[in-house]
Amino acid sequence: MSIASASRVLNGIGGSPETTRRVREAAAAVGYVPNAIARSLQSQRTGLIALAVEDIGNPVYVAMMRAIEAVVAESGHQLLVHATGGDVAGETALLRRLAHRYVDGMIISPIRITDVHVEALTASPVPVVVVGQLPEDVPVDNVRADSRTGVALAVDHLVGAGRTRIGFVNGPLDTVPGAARDAGFRAAMARHGLAVDPAMVEVGDFQYAAGRAAAERLLARTDPDAIVCANDLIAVGALHALLVAGRRVPEDVALVGMDDTELAQMSFPQISSVSLGSAERGQLAAGLLLDRIADGTLAPRREHVAPSLAVRASSGSVQ
């Protein structure tokens, strides 16, 4: 058997049925396993793609990760996942490590964007796609959601259901999603002629425990007839705080979350939630990255995913 024929079969390029059978039998007999390091030296490709997100336990990132993995697997790549904890230094260190070319590309979803991020992104020697907001002049492929419009959908729904004392439980305001959702809430309330009562707004973290504690603080000082939460983890925490406080959902207080994760459907009552298309954003990001790996001369591209509201039992109309 010629070296070329064996190489074609072992690399999955092709060969006659008889040649393929003989090569595979011989490889099995000697226990041959392709050397990934040698292959990468020759091809200048590692076959690996990295995904960096704040919290791999957050259902929104799980949905995104599954979507990305499905796309990159079809191209023969494997996915490496990093949990950054939203730490700016850790994220920028990851981006700088790309200089070692340990992966063929990276998808990153930072909740904060700093000048250091921008510098590392633009200096990266391998393709990077950002899921989230970027300054318009940053020449990096980007997939973004519209959190402001998403919050407005929640407020519009609640006002349409007769709710007027609408509270808001948000994540940190120094994050991109926290700032966007705060601005969206205030703009939507103003559009409906409703004042934003500072007592009705709480800021915590994008986690269950922080969301529950923030909702408890809000309920201790005021009496909302609806609460919008900046994600579903916060919404589940708020739901538990409401039930412990003896508030019926939705009869006393309507509740709407964001991200429309499995958590919203697993809760009782099921939680209305704004979808920001986490799976769709993952699919788009993976497609952009693979295109960029194949052709680095492409102009930077931006994709937008529109939000939608899934109405469930937690936000029924006022009786």
Side-chain angles (χ1 to χ4, degrees):
M1 190 69 60
S2 72
I3 292 175
S5 294
S7 177
R8 282 195 295 273
V9 172
L10 293 170
N11 285 288
I13 297 173
S16 70
E18 177 61 18
T19 298
T20 300
R21 181 189 64 79
R22 291 176 61 193
V23 170
R24 288 179 175 170
E25 286 182 354
V30 300
Y32 171 78
V33 176
N35 188 314
I37 296 175
R39 280 185 170 182
S40 67
L41 288 173
Q42 183 177 23
S43 68
Q44 296 298 298
R45 292 282 188 267
T46 66
L48 301 175
I49 285 174
L51 169 65
V53 297
E54 179 209 7
D55 176 15
I56 58 174
N58 187 326
V60 72
Y61 293 126
V62 174
M64 185 181 293
M65 177 182 67
R66 288 172 177 164
I68 292 170
E69 189 165 33
V71 174
V72 302
E74 286 187 2
S75 71
H77 288 82
Q78 291 182 307
L79 189 66
L80 299 178
V81 181
H82 300 282
T84 69
D87 178 63
V88 171
E91 289 171 349
T92 53
L94 273 178
L95 289 167
R96 291 190 177 111
R97 279 181 57 201
L98 294 176
H100 300 299
R101 297 181 183 271
Y102 76 100
V103 291
D104 296 333
M106 174 180 282
I107 299 169
I108 186 168
S109 184
I111 62 172
R112 295 174 179 85
I113 289 290
T114 66
D115 291 342
V116 180
H117 280 101
V118 172
E119 179 185 347
L121 285 166
T122 54
S124 173
V126 303
V128 181
V129 175
V130 174
V131 179
Q133 301 294 323
L134 270 181
E136 295 296 330
D137 60 346
V138 178
V140 174
D141 293 321
N142 181 214
V143 180
R144 58 182 64 185
D146 187 350
S147 289
R148 287 186 62 142
T149 299
V151 174
L153 290 176
V155 173
D156 292 349
H157 164 64
L158 292 169
V159 172
R163 314 286 176 157
T164 57
R165 302 189 313 279
I166 303 174
F168 183 45
V169 182
N170 197 7
L173 293 177
D174 68 337
T175 65
V176 173
R181 292 167 201 190
D182 180 75
F185 177 75
R186 294 177 186 278
M189 293 286 282
R191 183 162 44 82
H192 287 288
L194 297 173
V196 176
D197 182 351
M200 289 274 199
V201 177
E202 264 295 339
V203 174
D205 203 346
F206 292 113
Q207 301 295 328
Y208 164 82
R212 179 169 179 172
E216 288 170 347
R217 293 193 299 271
L218 188 152
L219 292 171
R221 65 173 182 258
T222 189
D223 184 28
D225 63 7
I227 298 177
V228 176
C229 297
N231 72 3
D232 286 344
L233 285 167
I234 294 174
V236 172
L239 174 62
H240 292 172
L242 286 164
L243 296 177
V244 169
R247 311 289 181 90
R248 298 171 301 165
V249 177
E251 292 85 356
D252 300 327
V253 183
L255 185 65
V256 180
M258 290 193 74
D259 290 331
D260 196 24
T261 62
E262 292 178 346
L263 278 178
Q265 299 180 54
M266 293 164 60
S267 299
F268 185 81
Q270 290 187 324
I271 298 174
S272 298
S273 187
V274 176
S275 171
L276 297 175
S278 57
E280 184 179 357
R281 283 183 286 152
Q283 291 170 348
L284 289 169
L288 288 177
L289 185 61
L290 293 175
D291 289 347
R292 177 68 55 192
I293 290 171
D295 184 358
T297 66
L298 293 171
R301 291 180 289 173
R302 281 193 167 81
E303 299 282 357
H304 295 79
V305 177
S308 61
L309 174 65
V311 178
R312 301 191 178 94
S314 71
S315 61
S317 300
V318 176
Q319 301 299 316

